[in-house]
Amino acid sequence: MKLLKRRFVIFAVLLFILIISVFYCAIGENSYIGVHDNMDLFIAQFAMLRNTGTFFSHGVSAPFLGGVSRDVLPGEASLYTVLYMIFSPFTAYIVGYVLKLGIAVFSCVLLFVDCTILSGEKIDSFFERARFCLKEEYAPELNLAVGAGFLYGVLNLFPAFGISFASIPLIVYLLRRIYLTEKSDDPKRVRRMAGYVVLIFCYPFVSYFSYFGFFILGYLFIAIIWMWIRDKRPSFGLIAGLVALSVGFVVFEYRLFGMMLFSDVTTIRDTMVQSYVQVSEVPALVGDVFVNGMMHAEDCHKYFVMPVCLLYLIFLNGRYVYKKNFRGIFTDAYNLCALILVFNAVVYGVYFIREVDDVFATVVPPLKGFQFNRTVFFSPFIWCAMLFIIAYRMRKKEIFKGVLSYAVIATAVVFVIITPTRYNDFRGTLYHIVKENVMGNKLDDLNYREFYSEELFSDVKKEIGYKEGEWSVAYGMHPAILEYNGIATLDGYLGFYPQSYKEEFRKVIAPALSKNPASAAYFDEWGARCYLYSGTDATIVMATKSMYGVTDNNIYIDAGELKKLGCKYLFSRIDISNALEEGLAPIGEYSGHGSPYNIYVYGLE
């Protein structure tokens, strides 16, 4: 217990961050990083911005999808983007992971300490508050806050928005402080509130409007109405926070708002076909997302955190009923968290009802196609907050001398680290190292270095005399590989580009789509992956060393339409059997530099 009193958890978190940093420095680009919506999307986009020096440029085109506006790529006024300005892409990715951990711990400590140790204390200075909560008698509570923040930080959520996820408790803290400061009798409250307003205005630097900001503003609006009714007067501090946050998002993401509000270009968002379900199927969707989460927010709560939280929910409210304290049911913060979880899950399910989506598109036309079911992105933090409340209350009750409270959080952390989720890069890299270097097994997955194969593509570009800006396409691999290596592509992956370009590119792949109805539906009804498709195989784009899924080496394209788009080269992982018949002139086959690829380059005759 002496170790715990001396903030053992804080040192454990710092040690883990150090281990992560040293681990990735030692392994480097041989690390195994999540590909889906990560290496095939955002990392390549940041590399393009870096390669072309267009982080701050205006009125320029990005070298993919035939030259879409630079404005569709991540904005420069974002902490995650700044990392890619400063560091190489891989280093920026790892620094982003470490920062996510640090920001999650810092944000959760601010919020949880404010709600527990400092609750009711009339201390408004930040440094005075820090000194107060660092008193030795509060070491266990501070440890729990750090542990819960660490749990939230190690959740393997969508990497490109990991910092945005991690900062959610920060905005809750700032809004809570501005509300409480307004109600206090502190003579300096106006100046302190002004400081919080400035911080709230700057918050979008660590967040993202489409994934989080829209919903934070919605939650805040509801909170303002709720507080107004409860307090019988409006909170001008929260209203000021709402205005500051709204303006902040517009300022920091001016490119996004410019496209949403002032562009008359019809995009693929307008023609995407949403999958709908019958109303009778919604409860199953709600239950599934409540239990399992969703792809970009896999928080591993199903097997430990959720059972613990639900058992405590039953115990807590059963006790309130037994004591006939019905008011306690409606005022307990834990029940509010549970209600938010249910709300998020219900919104997710309701999103798939056609009539609801139509009403949303009619009421807010600029947001047509917007995924308003992303409220579920806030659920991982709510689960962590609920677990913290349980641990904190156990600690206050001295259950098993407080040891159990630490064990609960530690167990949740272990579950997260060992569970093989899509973006668990740390576990994935360790798994591959052990399998290949210790057990001697050869795995088919690609590590970061192999996926992008920079040295190989550098040689290929020299051999073929590639000139910057010459348009190309990829076959049998993600166009992101070419984009990362400074090769301009007519194909690409993006959820927001002109519908007119999609229609032009469809002419190129029409022969393949006519032979493959599943691929035709995939492209026509969604279209974010503007790729060359196989005429027979379901997919020929795999992040693997082998091309085991390819059964047909023929390509089906309209080379004439491809030439109209200005294409000069086709880079392929497949040795195309009918290249000459399709108007493709073989230039060469390239391999080496430890890359698992054989790259076949063709020119358009």
Side-chain angles (χ1 to χ4, degrees):
M1 290 301 291
K2 288 183 178 179
L3 283 175
L4 294 176
K5 288 182 178 179
R6 293 181 183 178
R7 300 173 181 84
F8 145 78
V9 176
I10 297 175
F11 292 116
V13 169
L14 292 175
L15 178 62
F16 183 83
I17 291 175
L18 177 63
I19 290 171
I20 286 289
S21 303
V22 172
F23 175 78
Y24 280 112
C25 285
I27 303 302
E29 294 187 3
N30 292 320
S31 303
Y32 287 81
I33 305 299
V35 173
H36 184 77
D37 285 359
N38 191 30
M39 288 209 293
D40 64 349
L41 181 61
F42 283 102
I43 293 179
Q45 290 182 2
F46 285 119
M48 275 193 290
L49 291 172
R50 185 180 178 86
N51 292 338
T52 57
T54 52
F55 279 108
F56 298 95
S57 299
H58 294 87
V60 298
S61 298
F64 81 129
L65 288 171
V68 296
S69 170
R70 180 265 174 267
D71 290 346
V72 302
L73 300 183
E76 65 273 27
S78 163
L79 175 57
Y80 198 65
T81 303
V82 170
L83 296 180
Y84 286 85
M85 295 180 195
I86 300 172
F87 304 106
S88 65
F90 178 78
T91 302
Y93 183 80
I94 301 306
V95 171
Y97 180 82
V98 173
L99 269 179
K100 178 196 76 164
L101 279 173
I103 290 172
V105 172
F106 177 74
S107 300
C108 285
V109 167
L110 282 179
L111 178 61
F112 294 153
V113 165
D114 194 58
C115 295
T116 55
I117 299 175
L118 293 168
S119 180
E121 296 290 340
K122 295 184 178 181
I123 306 173
D124 292 294
S125 166
F126 179 81
F127 294 104
E128 289 176 7
R129 294 164 67 83
R131 283 198 297 270
F132 184 85
C133 70
L134 286 172
K135 290 180 179 180
E136 195 61 34
E137 60 262 38
Y138 299 122
E141 288 83 357
L142 183 59
N143 269 328
L144 287 177
V146 172
F150 181 58
L151 168 62
Y152 186 48
V154 296
L155 296 183
N156 299 297
L157 310 174
F158 194 14
F161 300 110
I163 289 176
S164 300
F165 274 106
S167 67
I168 289 172
L170 176 61
I171 189 61
V172 177
Y173 166 78
L174 292 173
L175 292 168
R176 171 182 162 82
R177 287 312 311 156
I178 201 172
Y179 174 73
L180 294 177
T181 302
E182 180 187 14
K183 293 177 64 178
S184 73
D185 55 3
D186 179 10
K188 297 180 181 179
R189 65 179 179 277
V190 174
R191 187 174 69 183
R192 297 192 195 283
M193 287 175 62
Y196 288 124
V197 168
V198 171
L199 291 175
I200 290 169
F201 169 80
C202 295
Y203 174 75
F205 183 63
V206 293
S207 189
Y208 183 62
F209 179 78
S210 295
Y211 276 54
F212 304 95
F214 177 85
F215 306 101
I216 292 172
L217 292 172
Y219 283 131
L220 179 54
F221 180 77
I222 293 172
I224 289 172
I225 302 300
W226 183 2
M227 298 295 188
W228 192 337
I229 295 171
R230 191 189 69 176
D231 299 342
K232 296 182 173 57
R233 66 182 183 86
S235 170
F236 293 104
L238 288 180
I239 293 172
L242 178 66
V243 173
L245 190 58
S246 301
V247 174
F249 274 113
V250 172
V251 171
F252 280 80
E253 298 191 42
Y254 67 94
R255 294 181 190 269
L256 174 64
F257 281 88
M259 289 187 298
M260 284 197 309
L261 301 177
F262 304 113
S263 174
D264 57 358
V265 175
T266 301
T267 71
I268 63 170
R269 284 282 176 188
D270 296 292
T271 57
M272 283 184 178
V273 177
Q274 168 65 40
S275 297
Y276 297 108
V277 299
Q278 299 297 320
V279 175
S280 60
E281 299 175 79
V282 170
L285 274 177
V286 171
D288 180 68
V289 79
F290 183 87
V291 172
N292 299 301
M294 64 177 293
M295 181 181 67
H296 289 154
E298 292 178 284
D299 56 9
C300 307
H301 69 270
K302 178 179 180 179
Y303 296 108
F304 179 74
V305 175
M306 185 181 72
V308 170
C309 290
L310 293 183
L311 283 173
Y312 180 72
L313 182 70
I314 295 169
F315 166 77
L316 176 69
N317 292 290
R319 188 177 60 179
Y320 278 132
V321 172
Y322 177 75
K323 293 183 177 181
K324 297 183 180 179
N325 181 10
F326 300 106
R327 177 180 174 82
I329 295 175
F330 295 99
T331 58
D332 196 300
Y334 190 87
N335 284 336
L336 175 60
C337 289
L339 183 64
I340 293 173
L341 283 178
V342 173
F343 173 79
N344 290 344
V346 169
V347 170
Y348 179 87
V350 166
Y351 170 77
F352 293 97
I353 300 176
R354 179 185 294 276
E355 292 76 12
V356 173
D357 192 41
D358 289 344
V359 169
F360 186 79
T362 302
V363 174
V364 195
L367 294 179
K368 183 179 180 181
F370 181 71
Q371 291 179 266
F372 64 82
N373 63 342
R374 287 171 177 163
T375 52
V376 76
F377 283 177
F378 294 84
S379 293
F381 169 65
I382 300 299
W383 284 115
C384 290
M386 291 172 72
L387 197 68
F388 170 77
I389 292 173
I390 294 172
Y392 175 76
R393 291 177 178 178
M394 286 195 299
R395 174 68 189 80
K396 297 299 285 184
K397 293 290 185 181
E398 290 288 341
I399 299 176
F400 291 102
K401 296 183 178 180
V403 174
L404 188 58
S405 60
Y406 296 102
V408 165
I409 291 178
T411 303
V413 169
V414 170
F415 265 91
V416 171
I417 292 175
I418 67 173
T419 302
T421 56
R422 185 186 302 270
Y423 298 120
N424 192 342
D425 300 333
F426 183 59
R427 190 261 182 202
T429 300
L430 278 176
Y431 170 81
H432 283 85
I433 289 174
V434 171
K435 282 290 236 181
E436 294 184 338
N437 298 332
V438 178
M439 301 177 68
N441 296 333
K442 292 297 181 183
L443 301 178
D444 203 32
D445 298 324
L446 296 170
N447 63 36
Y448 186 97
R449 186 187 305 279
E450 292 168 337
F451 182 81
Y452 289 119
S453 293
E454 284 185 82
E455 293 177 330
L456 173 59
F457 279 96
S458 178
D459 268 8
V460 172
K461 288 163 66 177
K462 288 178 184 177
E463 289 289 331
I464 67 175
Y466 179 82
K467 297 177 183 177
E468 183 178 343
E470 290 181 324
W471 292 111
S472 306
V473 287
Y475 190 62
M477 60 182 164
H478 291 286
I481 296 171
L482 303 184
E483 295 154 10
Y484 185 94
N485 286 290
I487 299 172
T489 64
L490 292 167
D491 44 359
Y493 179 18
L494 190 66
F496 192 90
Y497 65 91
Q499 173 67 20
S500 58
Y501 186 78
K502 177 182 176 181
E503 292 168 1
E504 289 180 17
F505 195 84
R506 196 193 191 287
K507 296 175 184 177
V508 173
I509 58 178
L513 299 187
S514 66
K515 294 176 176 290
N516 195 330
S519 293
Y522 180 73
F523 182 79
D524 292 336
E525 296 179 5
W526 189 49
R529 291 191 185 273
C530 190
Y531 288 9
L532 297 185
Y533 291 87
S534 168
T536 52
D537 297 319
T539 180
I540 54 171
V541 178
M542 294 162 284
T544 54
K545 294 172 185 174
S546 66
M547 297 293 288
Y548 60 85
V550 177
T551 63
D552 184 359
N553 278 33
N554 287 330
I555 190 172
Y556 303 95
I557 59 172
D558 188 323
E561 292 295 335
L562 197 53
K563 284 201 292 185
K564 285 182 183 178
L565 294 177
C567 186
K568 186 169 183 179
Y569 299 105
L570 185 149
F571 294 81
S572 173
R573 283 192 68 189
I574 299 169
D575 184 6
I576 300 173
S577 302
N578 64 337
L580 294 176
E581 293 93 321
E582 291 292 339
L584 302 175
I587 294 177
E589 176 186 352
Y590 306 92
S591 60
H593 296 285
S595 171
Y597 298 153
N598 283 331
I599 300 297
Y600 302 89
V601 182
Y602 300 88
L604 270 75
E605 296 179 335

